[in-house]
Amino acid sequence: MKKVLIVLSIVLSCFLLFSCVEKPAAEVETPALTINAYVTLYNAGVAAMQQRKVEATDLNKDNKIDIDEVFVAAHKDLNRESDYASGITEWGLSVKKLLGDTSGSFGYYLNDVSAWSLNDEVKDEDYLTAFVYADGTTYSDTYSYFDIRNANAVKGTEVILSLSNIGYVVELDDDGNPVLDENTGYEKYVMAPVATAGATITVNGESTDVVTDADGIAKISFSEAGTYVISASSTSLTLVPPVCIVTVK
């Protein structure tokens, strides 16, 4: 009987000991990283969205948001999730479908600079533009942008915009002289912003009488209050349309 009591005492002591051990708190799942990006999507010059604010989520849990994840979010925002796809190719992670197009003729710019890959990081409040080429033969589509993405104005006052496009220009050295290719002896060309002259300004998709001057400058005023989407078209260039949202009071 005494041995039984001793055993029971030991068992009871062990139970009390383990019951007093603090249990680890339940693991709290950290919310996924999200950012807001302003997205513009074109299919052969036709806008699917223009500077729409899109919330993107870190889907692959690598503690950053990349272009691929923003494209996923943008198509979801359009209720067209199946119209976007990406995958690994010989060039790495690449767009395979954009706005339902599978031609492979795609371009995308982050903050008006040509992106390196879908893995490029997108920060909060960044601007991302992607497009399916309108010219699927010679790929002459030319990315263009205004110096101002958003503007506020008062009725009757002018909004002054400067339009540039990414083109090829002669590379210059520090003294302003053309750099020559060592192999050919010809001038070297690099991609850089150039003024877009002779482009017609559009407002909410309608052409106006305003045309950019030799320096790419355009001046436009509004007689009514409201929100206007300003863009541009050209007869000499296949422009990826620029976007400026103007709020008039």
Side-chain angles (χ1 to χ4, degrees), residues 23 31 96 98 115 131 166 180 187 216 249:
K23 296 182 180 180
K96 290 193 170 183
L98 183 71
F131 55 95
I166 304 299
L180 302 181
E187 295 174 341
K249 296 182 179 179

Side-chain angles (χ1 to χ4, degrees), residues 120-158:
D120 287 4
E121 183 176 5
V122 182
K123 301 290 185 65
D124 195 44
E125 302 293 309
D126 275 353
Y127 288 78
L128 179 64
T129 298
F131 55 95
V132 179
Y133 274 79
D135 179 4
T137 304
T138 62
Y139 309 105
S140 63
D141 293 45
T142 303
Y143 182 79
S144 67
Y145 61 95
F146 291 118
D147 60 328
I148 301 173
R149 295 190 179 97
N150 297 278
N152 294 311
V154 177
K155 290 186 295 183
T157 62
E158 288 185 333

Side-chain angles (χ1 to χ4, degrees), residues 7-178:
V7 171
L8 288 175
S9 176
I10 293 173
V11 171
L12 179 61
S13 298
C14 291
F15 173 78
L16 292 174
L17 175 64
F18 283 107
S19 65
C20 293
V21 175
E22 185 177 354
K23 296 182 180 180
E27 292 186 6
V28 178
E29 185 175 349
T30 303
L33 173 67
T34 62
I35 64 160
N36 290 314
Y38 295 92
V39 182
T40 299
L41 298 177
Y42 291 112
N43 190 342
V46 178
M49 61 169 58
Q50 292 175 297
Q51 282 188 192
R52 184 183 297 186
K53 192 174 184 178
V54 171
E55 184 179 76
T57 303
D58 178 18
L59 300 175
N60 60 10
K61 308 296 184 181
D62 64 351
N63 295 316
K64 72 180 182 71
I65 308 294
D66 58 30
I67 291 176
D68 184 47
E69 290 163 333
V70 176
F71 285 161
V72 170
H75 283 74
K76 182 177 181 180
D77 200 62
L78 290 169
N79 293 317
R80 297 177 60 177
E81 294 176 75
S82 63
D83 282 342
Y84 176 72
S86 61
I88 301 298
T89 68
E90 58 185 307
W91 298 284
L93 185 62
S94 305
V95 177
K96 290 193 170 183
K97 184 194 294 185
L98 183 71
L99 295 174
D101 185 276
T102 57
S103 66
S105 302
F106 313 124
Y108 44 98
Y109 283 69
L110 180 59
N111 297 324
D112 300 326
V113 177
S114 181
W116 284 103
S117 78
L118 288 180
N119 293 123
D120 287 4
E121 183 176 5
V122 182
K123 301 290 185 65
D124 195 44
E125 302 293 309
D126 275 353
Y127 288 78
L128 179 64
T129 298
F131 55 95
V132 179
Y133 274 79
D135 179 4
T137 304
T138 62
Y139 309 105
S140 63
D141 293 45
T142 303
Y143 182 79
S144 67
Y145 61 95
F146 291 118
D147 60 328
I148 301 173
R149 295 190 179 97
N150 297 278
N152 294 311
V154 177
K155 290 186 295 183
T157 62
E158 288 185 333
V159 175
I160 301 175
L161 300 173
S162 176
L163 179 61
S164 299
N165 65 265
I166 304 299
Y168 285 95
V169 298
V170 176
E171 184 177 358
L172 303 177
D173 61 22
D174 293 338
D175 296 322
N177 300 313

